[in-house]
Amino acid sequence: MDKKVVLSLRNISKAYPGVQALDDVSIDFREGEVHCIIGENGAGKSTFIKMISGANVPDEGCIEYMDKVYSAMTPALSKELGICVVYQELNLAEDLSVAENLYLGKKKSRFFNAKEFEQDAQKVFDEMGVYIDCSVRVEDLSVSYMQFVEIAKSLSGNGRVIIFDEPTAPLTEDEVDKLLDLISDLKKKKYVIIYISHRLQELFRIGDRVTVLRDGKKIITDDMANVDQAKLIAYMVGREMSFEYPKRQHELGDVVLEAKGIINSKVHNVSFQVRAGEILGIGGLVGAGRSELLRAVFGADLRDAGEIYLCGKPVCINSPVEAVRLGIGFVTEDRKRTGLLLEDSIVRNISLAILKRISKSLVVNKKKEKEIAARQIGVLRIKTPSEENAAKSLSGGNQQKVVLGKWLAADCKVIFMDEPTRGVDVGAKQEIYKLMNDLARQGIAIVMVSSEMEELLGMSERVIVLHEGTKTGELSKEEFAQESVLTLASGITKSG
Amino acid sequence: MKLITLYKKYGVLFILLALVVFFSFAAPMFFSVTNLFNISKQVAIMAILSVGMTFVLLTGGIELSMGSVISIGVVLISKMVTEADLPVAVSMMAAVATATVLGFIDGLIIAKIKVPPLIITLGMQIFLYGFTYTICNGKPVYGIPVSLKWIGQTYVLGIIPVSAVLMLIIILIGHFILTKTYLGRYFYAIGSNEETAKLSGINADKIRILAYTFCGCLVGVASIVMLGRIGSGQPSAGDGYEMDVLTGCVLGGVSLNGGKGNVGKAFAGILVIGVLSNGMALMGLDSFAQKMVKGVVLMMAVILDSLQFIEIRKKVKVVS
């Protein structure tokens, strides 16, 4: 039964500033097995892939491959050794044909011979049992066929290890079946398959063994036969609530914002409402459409359908211009790219959304602008020697406060916060939580997206959970449990 | 890299000073009151254009059809006055209106269809060039009334050219818009980070269209000054102006990447170009040699503009 170990990670650790992404992780991968890796957002799955693909180097530990020990991988080395990653965002030259993609960058012959390429490529696909015309341009293929091309790319070389990163997310059910069949086939041909997916059901269909990661640590590696969904979810969570979340005890007001049936390419018929003084959490895994939902309501992304009501009245929000005018603010996920004017002063960042309001016939009232900024700097306790300092000179937490200040200055009734504490240190985190509570107490409605389970459950009054663009459930404070959020986030609905 | 920071702050002024000193020795005629006002007259048109160009550059765009818009303005006014017998004021207004509308169209296409501004304004330039030569059959329009030449050829207090006064007024207005009004602040905001600006409720498309429209309007004004100066409806009147203006603006520190610069510095850059052209002419350099120098200056300006970003890129590397 015990098959030969082809690839193994030995005591791999990797730290990024502020996070221990991988902590002494050792995993063996055997010939002809499908090894599933699961874990919550931030558990260390992508760092793990990067270690094997050579996109990043470990701080400690080594990688053993075919009885040779390497201190780290490089992209070239891992390719040479036959390790390939099929990423969710496919890595294909869409303008080229299937055959050309297969042999891109692989020196085959001195001259380009389309016929020869196509014949060789056809052989690879025949072996895979996939029917595909190798002269077709990749951009004309469906996503699932693009994936097959990506897989064929690794098979056409000396591929031995194939890592799948969320391969089924963009596929339809039929296509998923096809892909899983193919993977079982590859398994028989003694490839090592590393399979990463949020969809637990799939794992049980093809997985031989499973490794659960949590906070960069390996929790367990076990045969698939020994576990079930509930067990896996328990392994994935089981995190201690590490610090106290400030409590709120005020009464909630009326419904301020209601979104009904929001539909676009990333969000499928999602509705939610939030009351004055309430913090509504939106949970789900990365890529579940949480930010996209906020962007759609805010008018930053197109909506195909959906109604929005503000204080009970239907409103028309086709662009952020209207959203801001109606008193909705948006603290985005990436403050550097979408929240701040980094080169500009703190004052100018805070006044950005209200410039027009504090202008009299075009001329900005600079005195008022300064007063408003000074007030926000005081209220939010933004630490800076001068309000004229550039936003980029501030720490992450203070930058986040500046973004928040922009929306407070605009007297927002509703504030969307997408990962409000991402990349801020622990002290600033506590401060931001306190501020959020203060705002809620003042009757502001907050909609918060968070990938941190503790934060989501610690701060929210109520949580809705998304899975692949669909709302899979809603939890009230009494129903809060990490397991139930994760179950919903994995697409397992309450009814079954 | 400190050199670049220093250059960003005072570089243009150093260059200007160096050129003035150099030409004062190399061309004895250069440092005379008459010549200095001569330069201001030559510079006036470029400086007016530079205000429009700065607006557009700040939003992250570029406008390369200025020269041919001037040409069409010049020919249009001449035609209306001499052939249609329309009043001078009406013709002038028509030219400004035409230029404004052309700017608006550029802006509309760039903002709404997201066409690269470089290409669309270049296309506009080529089209207008052909159009202008077509409506005047390739021949200059003569017989311009004296009243039209007033702006280009009259002096206030006998010594300050009217065009220079107009230039100063426009620079001041431009400066006012950029530093005092929210529109100016919006130009900077969408140029430095459009996504942030949009998510802060700024209608980026509208602001961008406005920048091109303002710019067009100023090009229209510049065409009136141009006609006054050359005194006839030359279809080649504006040839190549956009490049001189662009060189001046970038030299003055208005970034091609948007969000950085101001009209004062752009003006300093324009002065460099003006002094350079004037000095080279006084020294007797032929037009081909002048072109070589101007080309090198444009390349230098753009290289220096891009160098500051290389610096930023290096910084990011260290952090991550």
Side-chain angles (χ1 to χ4, degrees):
Chain A
M1 178 65 207
D2 255 16
K3 296 168 193 157
K4 191 182 162 211
V5 172
V6 175
L7 170 73
S8 57
L9 305 192
R10 298 265 181 83
N11 309 96
I12 297 279
S13 292
K14 174 77 190 176
Y16 293 114
V19 215
Q20 186 70 38
L22 285 179
D23 189 358
D24 196 23
V25 172
S26 303
I27 311 177
D28 289 337
F29 297 100
R30 298 174 191 155
E31 189 171 62
E33 79 164 349
V34 175
H35 195 131
C36 306
I37 309 277
I38 58 170
E40 265 193 281
N41 298 326
K45 289 170 300 187
S46 18
T47 312
F48 161 81
I49 298 180
K50 283 180 187 157
M51 296 295 124
I52 304 182
S53 71
N56 220 323
V57 290
D59 298 334
E60 279 168 57
C62 55
I63 296 164
E64 196 177 318
Y65 182 76
M66 303 286 278
D67 303 324
K68 270 191 194 146
V69 181
Y70 301 88
S71 66
M73 286 285 155
T74 67
L77 181 63
S78 88
K79 209 179 227 170
E80 193 190 312
L81 295 175
I83 299 171
C84 352
V85 187
V86 178
Y87 289 105
Q88 202 175 347
E89 285 89 25
L90 298 167
N91 245 330
L92 297 169
E94 304 210 336
D95 287 331
L96 299 183
S97 76
V98 170
E100 282 160 356
N101 262 286
L102 237 51
Y103 296 108
L104 199 64
K106 290 174 194 152
K107 210 163 160 191
K108 269 219 92 194
S109 57
R110 196 168 295 272
F111 296 103
F112 173 71
N113 182 342
K115 265 264 158 54
E116 186 195 318
F117 270 38
E118 276 164 31
Q119 280 166 1
D120 285 357
Q122 205 71 56
K123 269 184 221 150
V124 177
F125 283 106
D126 286 348
E127 212 156 289
M128 282 167 65
V130 172
Y131 176 74
I132 196 169
D133 179 354
C134 291
S135 61
V136 163
R137 293 196 330 162
V138 166
E139 66 174 359
D140 297 329
L141 298 173
S142 70
V143 184
S144 82
Y145 274 91
M146 288 187 193
Q147 248 178 20
F148 289 144
V149 174
E150 189 80 53
I151 297 166
K153 238 168 95 178
S154 37
L155 299 184
S156 69
N158 55 343
R160 297 262 350 223
V161 179
I162 305 180
I163 304 171
F164 290 91
D165 183 12
E166 292 286 342
T168 52
L171 303 185
T172 65
E173 242 169 87
D174 282 353
E175 292 170 337
V176 170
D177 287 342
K178 235 186 199 161
L179 178 72
L180 295 187
D181 286 347
L182 178 67
I183 290 177
S184 309
D185 230 40
L186 292 174
K187 188 171 106 180
K188 281 184 204 129
K189 288 179 183 152
K190 298 204 166 167
Y191 284 94
V192 179
I193 311 286
I194 302 173
Y195 192 86
I196 294 163
S197 177
H198 289 317
R199 297 178 167 178
L200 296 182
Q201 296 101 316
E202 284 170 17
L203 308 188
F204 288 95
R205 282 181 57 188
I206 57 159
D208 296 309
R209 292 198 301 159
V210 59
T211 294
V212 182
L213 296 178
R214 187 209 305 156
D215 297 334
K217 293 191 185 70
K218 182 173 109 169
I219 300 305
I220 191 172
T221 299
D222 204 349
D223 283 348
M224 214 69 208
N226 298 339
V227 293
D228 56 24
Q229 286 195 10
K231 234 179 182 171
L232 285 182
I233 286 176
Y235 286 137
M236 282 158 76
V237 294
R239 189 188 289 174
E240 303 280 311
M241 291 293 239
S242 55
F243 61 73
E244 285 288 299
Y245 284 85
K247 295 258 180 315
R248 298 186 298 273
Q249 260 148 0
H250 58 273
E251 291 278 305
L252 299 186
D254 296 330
V255 171
V256 181
L257 177 80
E258 179 169 15
K260 268 190 192 162
I262 304 295
I263 300 177
N264 69 15
S265 58
K266 300 276 174 59
V267 180
H268 315 305
N269 199 10
V270 177
S271 305
F272 68 86
Q273 52 178 18
V274 56
R275 298 164 67 177
E278 184 183 34
I279 298 180
L280 172 70
I282 302 184
L285 298 161
V286 171
R290 300 168 304 172
S291 312
E292 288 79 2
L293 172 64
L294 294 187
R295 284 182 63 92
V297 175
F298 195 66
D301 286 345
L302 282 178
R303 278 191 313 273
D304 298 330
E307 292 148 39
I308 297 163
Y309 298 85
L310 203 67
C311 302
K313 271 182 252 147
V315 289
C316 164
I317 300 178
N318 289 320
S319 75
V321 180
E322 283 127 336
V324 174
R325 197 179 296 144
L326 290 167
I328 304 175
F330 194 174
V331 179
T332 54
E333 185 177 13
D334 186 347
R335 56 182 163 268
K336 288 189 176 149
R337 280 187 45 238
T338 56
L340 291 168
L341 301 175
L342 283 173
E343 309 269 335
D344 265 345
S345 68
I346 298 168
V347 175
R348 286 185 165 217
N349 271 289
I350 290 179
S351 66
L352 190 58
I354 51 162
L355 267 186
K356 208 169 181 172
R357 247 182 273 173
I358 57 170
S359 297
K360 212 172 162 189
S361 54
L362 294 181
V363 180
V364 179
N365 183 342
K366 287 201 175 157
K367 207 177 133 215
K368 204 164 172 187
E369 183 185 19
K370 270 209 159 141
E371 279 169 16
I372 291 172
R375 190 160 68 229
Q376 294 307 334
I377 289 172
V379 169
L380 299 170
R381 289 190 295 279
I382 297 170
K383 289 181 206 85
T384 172
S386 155
E387 74 265 26
E388 290 302 331
N389 279 21
K392 66 174 177 188
S393 70
L394 299 174
S395 69
N398 281 306
Q399 284 184 348
Q400 193 70 323
K401 289 186 197 168
V402 171
V403 179
L404 206 53
K406 171 169 74 183
W407 298 118
L408 295 184
D411 281 326
C412 286
K413 288 193 280 275
V414 182
I415 299 183
F416 293 169
M417 297 188 183
D418 196 351
E419 306 285 2
T421 60
R422 171 168 292 177
V424 308
D425 61 63
V426 181
K429 227 172 187 175
Q430 275 290 12
E431 263 190 283
I432 288 174
Y433 292 146
K434 246 188 236 140
L435 283 170
M436 288 172 72
N437 280 343
D438 286 347
L439 299 181
R441 205 168 297 126
Q442 288 159 32
I444 291 175
I446 295 175
V447 182
M448 174 186 74
V449 165
S450 176
S451 288
E452 280 184 48
M453 188 67 85
E454 309 174 33
E455 176 176 291
L456 187 71
L457 298 182
M459 289 303 295
S460 310
E461 218 80 53
R462 199 155 49 86
V463 166
I464 65 169
V465 184
L466 300 186
H467 169 74
E468 290 175 12
T470 314
K471 181 170 157 186
T472 44
E474 182 163 338
L475 303 168
S476 64
K477 196 135 202 163
E478 299 74 44
E479 301 170 286
F480 277 3
Q482 301 192 23
E483 285 81 2
S484 24
V485 174
L486 210 56
T487 308
L488 292 171
S490 309
I492 308 161
T493 41
K494 271 183 182 169
S495 51
Chain B
M1 284 299 131
K2 265 185 192 158
L3 208 66
I4 284 187
T5 343
L6 203 68
Y7 168 80
K8 266 195 287 187
K9 269 200 167 144
Y10 310 108
V12 220
L13 297 178
F14 281 140
I15 296 173
L16 189 59
L17 201 71
L19 281 177
V20 170
V21 171
F22 172 75
F23 283 127
S24 303
F25 288 106
M29 284 286 292
F30 179 82
F31 208 78
S32 62
V33 178
T34 344
N35 191 48
L36 290 187
F37 279 115
N38 220 352
I39 293 176
S40 79
K41 216 162 94 182
Q42 289 164 352
V43 153
I45 293 170
M46 280 200 285
I48 293 170
L49 294 173
S50 78
V51 175
M53 187 68 100
T54 302
F55 284 4
V56 169
L57 286 173
L58 281 179
T59 67
I62 198 167
E63 158 66 304
L64 293 182
S65 62
M66 285 182 164
S68 37
V69 177
I70 288 186
S71 294
I72 186 137
V74 164
V75 169
L76 205 67
I77 299 174
S78 316
K79 282 249 167 196
M80 287 174 83
V81 173
T82 57
E83 286 171 26
D85 274 335
L86 286 163
V88 167
V90 172
S91 316
M92 292 197 321
M93 277 196 284
V96 174
T98 308
T100 309
V101 169
L102 287 171
F104 174 77
I105 293 171
D106 280 339
L108 194 69
I109 297 173
I110 290 161
K112 293 292 179 193
I113 314 181
K114 319 281 176 215
V115 179
L118 184 88
I119 305 299
I120 201 74
T121 57
L122 200 60
M124 189 60 110
Q125 181 207 80
I126 296 165
F127 165 76
L128 289 176
Y129 180 83
F131 184 74
T132 310
Y133 276 83
T134 307
I135 58 169
C136 68
N137 289 320
K139 279 181 270 178
V141 184
Y142 292 111
I144 308 298
V146 184
S147 56
L148 254 174
K149 298 179 186 166
W150 178 79
I151 286 185
Q153 299 175 355
T154 318
Y155 297 84
V156 178
L157 306 173
I159 191 156
I160 306 167
V162 173
S163 55
V165 175
L166 185 66
M167 163 191 92
L168 259 170
I169 294 172
I170 287 177
I171 288 178
L172 287 176
I173 293 175
H175 181 74
F176 178 81
I177 291 177
L178 286 187
T179 55
K180 303 285 179 200
T181 72
Y182 70 83
L183 288 178
R185 297 274 291 272
Y186 283 180
F187 291 157
Y188 284 101
I190 67 171
S192 54
N193 189 337
E194 181 168 358
E195 200 56 26
T196 297
K198 274 186 180 165
L199 290 173
S200 300
I202 296 171
N203 190 338
D205 289 355
K206 200 167 112 188
I207 298 302
R208 181 158 285 142
I209 294 171
L210 209 60
Y212 283 91
T213 311
F214 271 161
C215 180
C217 177
L218 290 177
V219 180
V221 173
S223 73
I224 296 172
V225 180
M226 175 67 89
L227 179 59
R229 209 180 110 202
I230 57 178
S232 62
Q234 300 279 357
S236 63
D239 280 6
Y241 259 79
E242 58 275 333
M243 278 308 168
D244 282 351
V245 172
L246 184 68
T247 310
C249 287
V250 178
L251 211 52
V254 185
S255 176
L256 283 171
N257 290 284
K260 281 198 196 90
N262 60 53
V263 284
K265 279 187 164 179
F267 180 57
I270 294 292
L271 279 180
V272 169
I273 301 297
V275 166
L276 197 63
S277 311
N278 177 276
M280 287 193 299
L282 286 183
M283 281 176 69
L285 253 66
D286 62 41
S287 65
F288 304 122
Q290 288 192 30
K291 276 228 182 258
M292 286 198 276
V293 173
K294 280 185 181 173
V296 170
V297 172
L298 174 59
M299 287 190 281
M300 286 304 297
V302 177
I303 288 170
L304 284 167
D305 179 41
S306 294
L307 273 181
Q308 49 179 327
F309 289 97
I310 288 181
E311 184 189 14
I312 289 171
R313 240 179 273 144
K314 274 187 185 153
K315 264 188 206 152
V316 169
K317 257 186 199 162
V318 176
V319 169
S320 62

